[in-house]
């Protein structure tokens, strides 16, 4: 069995009773897929906020799916500054880069308490050999991540600071809503303003001013680890986005 600092391992819930499978954003498993995933999963890991899950330059014998909780993907720059790449939500697959390239090119850290489904990295090749549908699903997940990074680069290059923050708020709000985490007009968002500023290439001061403006205009309120969006259409218009529902995606 494996160990990880600040983490606790256990067998965990069976894939039959996985709480993510009922979420509207995820495709249902076939009987064959379910049987494979039960073999593929080797346990669960519970970690505390701030726990590093994967470190840049490292290799790991495990890969993970976030069962609950949230985290960050980031790169550490030569000057010691951190560039946030993306936000990790329940259902996200973690560690594919190390599995394919041999080592991580970025780091992953838990922002909240997290539960992770743990898979043996070496079994990924069995997935490609014997489970073509699962292999396609994994490729689909990788392609969506690439698309999101491309969209992020476009947002950084072509949108103003205000439009960037609006874009991020809409994307996060829609994704968390699709994960069935929305209550009324609010979703959990347990990150720091600095995390959002890092992700969007903005200063903390500028980000704070934009968020204050959104609050005063009734566009969005981010307070006490919760994002409330009173008027999603107005916020999406500011971001030049269509507030469409998230596409249904496979769950690894």
């Amino acid at each position: 069995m494996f160990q990880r600092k600040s983490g606790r391992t256990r067998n965990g819930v069976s894939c039959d009773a996985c709480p993510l499978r009922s979420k509207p954003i995820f495709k249902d498993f076939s009987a064959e897929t379910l049987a494979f995933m039960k073999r593929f999963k080797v346990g669960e890991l519970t970690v505390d906020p701030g726990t590093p899950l994967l470190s840049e330059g490292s290799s790991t014998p495990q890969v993970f799916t976030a069962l609950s909780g949230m985290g960050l993907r980031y790169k550490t720059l030569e000057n010691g500054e951190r560039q946030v790449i993306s936000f990790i939500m329940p259902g996200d697959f973690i560690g594919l880069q190390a599995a394919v390239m041999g080592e991580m090119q970025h780091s992953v850290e838990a922002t909240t308490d997290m539960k992770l489904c743990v898979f043996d990295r070496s079994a990924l090749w069995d997935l490609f050999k014997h489970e073509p549908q699962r292999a396609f699903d994994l490729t689909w997940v990788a392609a969506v991540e690439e698309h999101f990074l491309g969209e992020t680069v476009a947002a950084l290059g072509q949108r103003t600071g205000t439009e960037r923050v609006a874009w991020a708020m809409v994307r996060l709000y829609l994704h968390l809503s699709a994960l069935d985490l929305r209550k009324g007009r609010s979703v959990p968002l347990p990150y720091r303003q600095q995390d959002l500023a890092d992700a969007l290439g903005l200063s903390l001061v500028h980000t704070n001013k934009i968020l204050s403006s959104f609050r005063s205009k009734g566009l969005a309120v981010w307070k006490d680890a919760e994002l409330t969006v009173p008027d999603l259409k107005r916020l999406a218009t500011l971001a030049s986005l269509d507030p469409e529902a998230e596409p249904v995606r496979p769950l690894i």
Side-chain angles (χ1 to χ4, degrees), residues 41-56:
K41 181 177 175 179
V42 297
E44 283 179 15
L45 178 65
T46 302
V47 299
D48 301 321
T51 301
L53 304 177
L54 296 169
S55 297
E56 189 173 346

Side-chain angles (χ1 to χ4, degrees), residues 25-251:
I25 193 173
F26 296 118
K27 294 180 180 178
D28 196 12
F29 284 176
S30 66
E32 293 78 10
T33 296
L34 179 59
F36 174 80
M37 294 306 295
K38 290 166 73 172
R39 298 192 303 271
F40 187 32
K41 181 177 175 179
V42 297
E44 283 179 15
L45 178 65
T46 302
V47 299
D48 301 321
T51 301
L53 304 177
L54 296 169
S55 297
E56 189 173 346
S58 69
S59 181
T60 175
Q62 291 94 33
V63 290
F64 311 96
T65 290
L67 187 59
S68 64
M70 301 185 194
L72 287 172
R73 292 185 177 94
Y74 66 92
K75 284 189 70 71
T76 303
L77 307 180
E78 291 183 1
N79 62 2
E81 296 293 322
R82 187 177 71 169
Q83 174 64 52
V84 173
I85 298 173
S86 64
F87 301 96
I88 293 175
M89 307 288 177
D92 285 354
F93 192 66
I94 306 167
L96 179 61
Q97 191 176 78
V100 174
M101 301 178 65
E103 67 178 35
M104 292 294 294
Q105 303 298 310
H106 61 262
S107 299
V108 181
E109 180 180 291
T111 300
T112 67
D113 291 328
M114 292 187 75
K115 290 184 180 180
L116 303 145
C117 294
V118 183
F119 309 102
D120 184 353
R121 191 181 82 176
S122 63
L124 276 177
W125 308 121
D126 289 334
L127 182 150
F128 281 93
K129 289 177 183 177
H130 307 299
E131 296 289 334
Q133 183 58 54
R134 286 273 82 185
F136 179 83
D137 288 343
L138 192 59
T139 304
W140 190 95
V141 168
V144 167
E145 289 185 4
E146 180 182 359
H147 172 75
F148 176 75
L149 290 176
E151 190 177 342
T152 301
V153 170
L156 297 183
Q158 302 299 322
R159 287 184 166 92
T160 66
T162 297
E163 291 168 342
R164 292 181 209 177
V165 175
W167 170 81
M169 293 291 184
V170 171
R171 290 299 306 267
L172 290 168
Y173 185 83
L174 290 174
H175 189 71
L176 289 163
S177 296
L179 286 168
D180 206 22
L181 294 175
R182 178 165 55 89
K183 294 182 179 179
R185 295 179 178 177
S186 300
V187 295
L189 197 65
Y191 300 101
R192 305 173 303 156
Q193 286 188 16
Q194 185 68 65
D195 296 328
L196 182 65
D198 289 345
L200 297 176
L202 300 171
S203 71
L204 179 59
V205 172
H206 193 185
T207 302
N208 182 265
K209 287 181 179 179
I210 293 170
L211 292 172
S212 295
S213 173
F214 284 3
R215 184 167 56 250
S216 65
K217 294 176 181 177
L219 288 170
V221 178
W222 186 16
K223 182 181 179 182
D224 299 329
E226 187 174 80
L227 172 64
T228 302
V229 180
D231 193 334
L232 180 61
K233 186 175 180 179
R234 282 180 60 207
L235 188 64
T237 298
L238 178 59
S240 299
L241 281 177
D242 291 325
E244 299 176 349
E246 291 276 301
V248 176
R249 55 176 290 178
L251 174 65

